[in-house]
Amino acid sequence: PGGPAERERTWDSLKLAFSYARRTPVVRTLILLALVAELFGWSHNSMLPVMARDVLGTGVSGMGYLQSASMAGFVLSTAVISNLNDIKQKGWLVVGGAMLFAVFLTAFAGARTLPLAVVALAAAYAMGAAFDSTLSTVLQGVVPDGMRGRIVSFQAFTWGVNGLAGFHTGALASRFGAPWAIVIGAVVLLLYAVRIVPMAPRIASVAQWRRP
């Protein structure tokens, strides 16, 4: 186990997933959206302590409120989405959710009082959870059975880049301040989401993208 043959099979599997995603427009769009969201949207996580201490002036207690608000928004949104029987316009929920995630992150970055920051962050996480969970659902629906495991693993790889996002976010924060670092990341995500708006109807039509 773990020998050269197994490593080669794993590498071949990754290459096959990359090739499939590259030549399948809907899958490529969704994977890239997940990657952009991790690198530029969810990268705001590293700035939360700075926002609590330096911008909102609330210290540890404020950080606790921000974390509680974010998890409350995330859990509430996930509960609502999971209890819906079927969402017909999944493509619009993915694209629109990503856009609203970016908008509420911008509102959070602009907040200068703790109550406003808590509300904005809770709303941002609600939208982030909505588009993220729907994106995963759509991906599993459009990919054929033989490729599903590889593509889901490829998507999981995008989650791993979140830790790297702290480098450029920290560099931006040191140059422009934490609020602007969050805004810049949110704008990048928003621009990509706007760019893929024409794809939303195609993403929504899950059945026609299912491969035999």
Side-chain angles (χ1 to χ4, degrees):
E6 182 177 332
R7 287 196 292 269
E8 184 178 356
R9 288 196 298 271
T10 301
W11 176 243
D12 288 342
S13 180
L14 182 61
K15 288 194 297 183
L16 185 61
F18 178 80
S19 176
Y20 177 83
R22 182 175 55 83
R23 66 175 188 270
T24 309
V26 169
V27 175
R28 182 176 67 243
T29 298
L30 292 175
I31 292 292
L32 284 175
L33 176 58
L35 184 61
V36 171
E38 291 295 333
L39 282 173
F40 298 101
W42 295 109
S43 63
H44 74 277
N45 279 316
S46 59
M47 292 295 105
L48 290 183
V50 183
M51 289 289 295
R53 183 193 64 198
D54 298 341
V55 178
L56 300 172
T58 57
V60 175
S61 61
M63 181 63 185
Y65 282 117
L66 292 180
Q67 288 183 320
S68 298
S70 63
M71 289 302 101
F74 195 95
V75 170
L76 178 61
S77 177
T78 302
V80 171
I81 294 294
S82 64
N83 280 284
L84 295 176
N85 291 329
D86 188 28
I87 302 173
K88 301 299 183 183
Q89 299 298 326
K90 292 183 177 68
W92 290 111
L93 182 56
V94 170
V95 177
M99 294 172 69
L100 287 174
F101 177 48
V103 168
F104 283 122
L105 278 180
T106 302
F108 166 69
R112 293 298 177 268
T113 63
L114 184 60
L116 287 177
V118 163
V119 171
L121 194 61
Y125 270 67
M127 292 299 100
F131 99 81
D132 224 357
S133 59
T134 307
L135 186 151
S136 295
T137 300
V138 174
L139 263 183
Q140 294 186 44
V142 302
V143 175
D145 294 342
M147 189 62 65
R148 187 171 295 120
R150 295 183 178 95
I151 293 298
V152 171
S153 298
F154 200 57
Q155 180 195 7
F157 171 78
T158 68
W159 301 334
V161 304
N162 182 265
L164 300 175
F167 288 103
H168 67 258
T169 305
L172 289 171
S174 65
R175 181 69 177 84
F176 304 107
W180 278 109
I182 296 173
V183 169
I184 291 170
V187 168
V188 172
L189 174 58
L190 181 60
L191 290 175
Y192 182 76
V194 169
R195 178 178 176 274
I196 65 173
V197 163
M199 289 287 293
R202 300 172 68 186
I203 296 171
S205 304
V206 175
Q208 72 177 341
W209 292 104
R210 186 180 293 277
R211 296 296 189 269

